[in-house]
Amino acid sequence: MEFDTEVAAGNFYQKYAKTSGFGTRLSKGHKDKNSDMMLDRVFCCSHEGKRPKDKRNMVVKCPRAETRCDCGARMKISCRQAEKYRVVQFVAQHNHELSTPSKTHLFRSHRHMTMAHEAEIDMARSCGIAPKQSIELMSKQVGGRENLGFIRDDLKNYLRSKRSIPMMQGDTGGVLEYLQRMQLEDPNFYYAIQVDEDDLITNIFWADAKMRTDFTHFGDVVCFDTTYRKHKDGRPIALFVGVNHHKQTIVFGGALLYDETIGTFEWLFDTFAKAMMGKIPRTILTDQDGRMATALASQWPTNHCIYDYENENDFLEGWSEMLKMYCLEDNKWLKKMFDIKEKWALVYGRETFCADMTTTQRSESMNSVIKKYVSYKHDLLEFFEHFQRLLDDRRYDESVTDFRGNQSTPAVTFPCKILQHAASVYTHEVYERFKDELCKGIDCKWEVDGELGKQVIYRVTPYGKTSHHLVTYDSSKNSISCSCKKFEFAGFLCSHALKILMTLNIVTIPDAYILKRWTKAAKIGNVCVSSESSQEMESKAKLSFRYKELSYLYMQLMTKTSECDEAYKIAKDGF
């Protein structure tokens, strides 16, 4: 191919890169010394080369993630032998995963705020429209954020640089129409309505396909809370939320409740389980609502509910000292709380997997986010529309983080094999937690406490502390456990266990201690949530069961394949 100018060649390669799923940057070029004309130029993949050594490594607290992996994809143009710029070299192969077309706009090279963008934003600000609302409006005008040409971070940078110079009866029909319309748009949108004796809507539960698919991957631990009341008639908004492999809060389902009775909660938990094809979480974190606890015991009797002492005796001593210090020995509420300590004291729940969450802070943080989207001025229909905006924004943030995780590797600031292994399997956020544990482990002291066959018991003492932890390593099984139960609770190894692994020169994390839910591959593959329980099931019931299960698996497939043109075509041809 030939081009009239270097700019035209660059624009072509940029367009090709955006279609193919990678970012670009300018590489080396040579100019004519006499005319200052560019003789040749190389346009390359943004993953080309290796990052040079940063002299600030000793003082940088949060180094940028590594994106370069010596990719050789490039296009070279030259006008040395012709009047026009001719392509003299083209390398199409990449040595890394390419992005899906729906996320390619996130590459730095494909983002640019034009003067027209800036003028539109300035005009919106002069009319009192907030930046967030203006970017939403502009996105709609061009058919989605991926067509906008810039992201929210670019808008923030622009503004920063600029600064530096009640449910009423009449609502019922509308709500039903809205829910039915959502189900038409998304066949796997699930909703349930409970009505009172006058056939008026009292409670509403809903979950779309993304929520249900997320639950299959990350529904092992759920936070549930009803502390937020913000819509027109003051009904509690109940949210089922969890945490994904990026440590981001995700929503599994939402509900608008008329009241908070035992019956309401029983209906809600039963409805949630039905929406998730019978799957219930391993652990649920709630507030200390007695009616909620009663409903949970009735509907999900196998669940654990929990709240930092690692030893029971230490907890009991600490509790007693607290009562004496503040003269609270006769406090009735504290006595009541102590009677149900097994439900909230972490010492009784160390072996309960909680995805590293100790309270309902996920629900509470989500409640604070809702305040930015939903107002008392909104009726129910407006509530649903604004709540959907919240979900869209959260999911876009997740998409951005997915992109970052697929296109870069956490920066390993000091040479350590086990840390490099962690960087290759964990997401950026979980890697940082793992690195913190590893760094704490370096300063721990250890000594052998005893041996039992192939098992060696180590006494590990954290730096600056007198208390110790017992770590047991079995060389025949390559298994390790610690009395602090960090792995059982959080899903990644503690500093004490890592200290012993490093001492034994074990340079990779044993496979048994890498939970898929914390890895980059957390959402790869489908999750089967139920199985046929009885061979003697009636034929009609069996037919219904199979239909539901296949529909649920189909939903997971649709949710994934709709994000990518190639996957969409493969799935469509397969069907």
Side-chain angles (χ1 to χ4, degrees):
M1 294 183 69
E2 291 183 339
F3 302 91
D4 292 331
T5 64
E6 178 199 353
V7 173
N11 290 340
F12 169 80
Y13 193 67
Q14 185 85 332
K15 188 176 180 181
Y16 161 76
K18 189 171 184 180
T19 305
S20 302
F22 66 95
T24 68
R25 57 189 178 81
L26 287 176
S27 188
K28 56 188 176 184
H30 300 91
K31 287 185 177 181
D32 186 291
K33 294 182 179 178
N34 299 321
S35 64
D36 206 35
M37 175 184 172
M38 186 64 69
L39 298 175
D40 57 55
R41 167 69 77 186
V42 174
F43 305 96
C44 65
C45 173
S46 58
H47 287 310
E48 183 266 349
K50 290 285 186 182
R51 178 187 292 177
K53 222 171 189 180
D54 193 338
K55 296 179 182 178
R56 306 170 302 156
N57 267 352
M58 300 299 293
V59 295
V60 174
K61 292 182 179 179
C62 300
R64 287 182 180 176
E66 182 62 67
T67 58
R68 297 195 188 183
C69 57
D70 216 12
C71 179
R74 62 180 54 213
M75 182 181 83
K76 182 178 180 180
I77 57 171
S78 173
C79 66
R80 293 178 186 272
Q81 298 175 351
E83 293 182 1
K84 294 186 177 183
Y85 288 95
R86 178 175 295 173
V87 176
V88 295
Q89 183 191 24
F90 178 75
V91 180
Q93 291 76 22
H94 297 261
N95 65 353
H96 57 89
E97 182 180 353
L98 297 180
S99 170
T100 56
S102 63
K103 297 175 184 175
T104 310
H105 69 286
L106 296 170
F107 282 106
R108 187 181 296 274
S109 59
H110 300 314
R111 290 155 34 198
H112 176 63
M113 281 192 70
T114 64
M115 292 180 66
H117 288 146
E118 295 173 359
E120 193 168 348
I121 290 167
D122 291 341
M123 184 179 294
R125 291 181 68 214
S126 66
C127 296
I129 301 175
K132 189 172 184 180
Q133 293 173 315
S134 63
I135 202 172
E136 288 175 357
L137 180 61
M138 293 168 70
S139 298
K140 289 179 181 178
Q141 290 171 345
V142 295
R145 301 187 196 204
E146 63 274 13
N147 301 321
L148 192 56
F150 63 93
I151 61 176
R152 280 186 297 183
D153 287 347
D154 299 324
L155 175 59
K156 289 179 182 177
N157 291 336
Y158 167 70
L159 294 175
R160 190 179 295 117
S161 63
K162 199 172 181 66
R163 291 188 194 105
S164 63
I165 335 182
M167 189 180 294
M168 302 301 176
Q169 283 183 292
D171 289 336
T172 305
V175 170
L176 284 173
E177 185 179 342
Y178 172 83
L179 295 172
Q180 289 164 357
R181 185 172 75 249
M182 291 295 291
Q183 199 168 58
L184 281 174
E185 295 174 1
D186 174 6
N188 286 288
F189 181 90
Y190 183 99
Y191 72 91
I193 293 175
Q194 191 179 38
V195 296
D196 62 14
E197 56 189 12
D198 298 319
D199 285 333
L200 294 176
I201 295 177
T202 56
N203 302 312
I204 304 171
F205 169 84
W206 72 97
D208 62 22
K210 180 71 166 62
M211 293 176 183
R212 299 172 75 189
T213 300
D214 283 343
F215 186 76
T216 64
H217 296 297
F218 307 112
D220 43 10
V221 182
V222 169
C223 291
F224 177 73
D225 199 355
T226 61
T227 57
Y228 181 65
R229 302 165 187 263
K230 193 64 178 178
H231 53 104
K232 194 172 182 180
D233 54 356
R235 294 191 179 197
I237 301 171
L239 294 178
F240 293 88
V241 302
V243 60
N244 66 9
H245 56 323
H246 300 301
K247 303 287 286 184
Q248 294 172 316
T249 301
I250 51 177
V251 180
F252 300 134
L256 286 173
L257 305 178
Y258 179 74
D259 56 18
E260 297 178 76
T261 63
I262 293 175
T264 291
F265 288 130
E266 286 179 340
W267 171 84
L268 183 58
F269 296 139
D270 179 60
T271 301
F272 181 82
K274 286 178 181 176
M276 305 306 167
M277 282 295 294
K279 178 182 176 180
I280 62 174
R282 286 169 53 187
T283 306
I284 182 162
L285 304 173
T286 72
D287 58 24
Q288 293 142 15
D289 189 296
R291 295 157 299 182
M292 197 183 298
T294 302
L296 276 171
S298 167
Q299 299 300 311
W300 299 349
T302 58
N303 271 129
H304 300 281
C305 305
I306 65 151
Y307 188 53
D308 185 19
Y309 282 98
E310 295 172 0
N311 179 276
E312 183 176 3
N313 290 333
D314 291 343
F315 166 74
L316 295 174
E317 289 178 11
W319 182 268
S320 179
E321 289 176 8
M322 179 194 73
L323 297 181
K324 291 178 181 177
M325 182 180 297
Y326 298 102
C327 301
L328 295 169
E329 291 92 341
D330 298 324
N331 187 285
K332 292 181 180 179
W333 183 82
L334 286 175
K335 284 182 179 180
K336 183 180 178 181
M337 288 300 299
F338 186 76
D339 289 340
I340 58 169
K341 58 186 179 297
E342 289 80 5
K343 288 287 184 183
W344 57 266
L346 196 56
V347 65
Y348 300 104
R350 294 299 300 181
E351 295 187 34
T352 301
F353 180 67
C354 290
D356 205 23
M357 296 185 286
T358 54
T359 67
T360 55
Q361 82 273 13
R362 292 281 167 179
S363 297
E364 290 160 5
S365 66
M366 183 58 76
N367 288 339
S368 66
V369 171
I370 291 177
K371 294 177 182 177
K372 301 175 183 176
Y373 291 81
V374 185
S375 161
Y376 271 115
K377 298 175 184 177
H378 297 148
D379 59 27
L380 269 180
L381 281 176
E382 289 178 314
F383 163 78
F384 278 111
E385 291 169 359
H386 288 288
F387 188 77
Q388 188 60 46
R389 284 177 49 236
L390 180 154
L391 291 177
D392 291 342
D393 286 349
R394 306 289 294 189
R395 289 167 182 176
Y396 184 76
D397 290 341
E398 181 182 358
S399 178
V400 172
T401 311
D402 278 339
F403 170 83
R404 172 173 169 254
N406 290 332
Q407 296 296 321
S408 64
T409 303
V412 180
T413 51
F414 57 91
C416 175
K417 291 293 183 183
I418 199 167
L419 200 57
Q420 291 171 353
H421 183 215
S424 69
V425 295
Y426 287 134
T427 60
H428 287 249
E429 294 70 24
V430 178
Y431 164 78
E432 290 297 330
R433 301 291 182 96
F434 182 90
K435 186 178 75 172
D436 290 343
E437 292 295 324
L438 190 77
C439 292
K440 287 190 289 185
I442 293 174
D443 294 328
C444 290
K445 296 179 181 179
W446 66 272
E447 58 182 319
V448 176
D449 191 67
E451 295 186 29
L452 184 61
K454 295 289 185 179
Q455 293 185 347
V456 181
I457 302 172
Y458 299 88
R459 188 191 296 259
V460 181
T461 307
Y463 176 76
K465 293 190 176 182
T466 55
S467 58
H468 64 270
H469 301 273
L470 295 178
V471 177
T472 304
Y473 178 73
D474 189 328
S475 58
S476 64
K477 301 177 182 177
N478 193 26
S479 64
I480 193 165
S481 63
C482 180
S483 59
C484 79
K485 303 296 181 183
K486 177 79 175 182
F487 176 76
E488 289 80 357
F489 179 81
F492 47 85
L493 290 173
C494 62
S495 57
H496 325 113
L498 289 172
K499 176 68 175 183
I500 300 305
L501 290 180
M502 289 188 290
T503 302
L504 297 174
N505 292 321
I506 296 174
V507 296
T508 58
I509 309 167
D511 291 342
Y513 303 100
I514 301 176
L515 290 193
K516 184 183 177 184
R517 68 139 22 251
W518 292 136
T519 68
K520 299 173 183 178
K523 292 194 282 190
I524 294 178
N526 68 288
V527 181
C528 188
V529 296
S530 59
S531 59
E532 233 172 280
S533 58
S534 172
Q535 294 296 324
E536 300 177 359
M537 189 185 295
E538 292 183 13
S539 58
K540 194 171 182 180
K542 187 179 290 187
L543 183 67
S544 175
F545 177 87
R546 287 174 176 170
Y547 178 83
K548 287 180 181 178
E549 184 167 43
L550 289 174
S551 297
Y552 198 71
L553 294 173
Y554 175 65
M555 175 195 69
Q556 295 181 47
L557 183 62
M558 286 195 302
T559 304
K560 293 174 183 176
T561 56
S562 61
E563 295 179 353
C564 171
D565 289 342
E566 186 179 1
Y568 161 75
K569 291 175 183 176
I570 292 171
K572 190 174 179 182
D573 291 343
F575 285 127

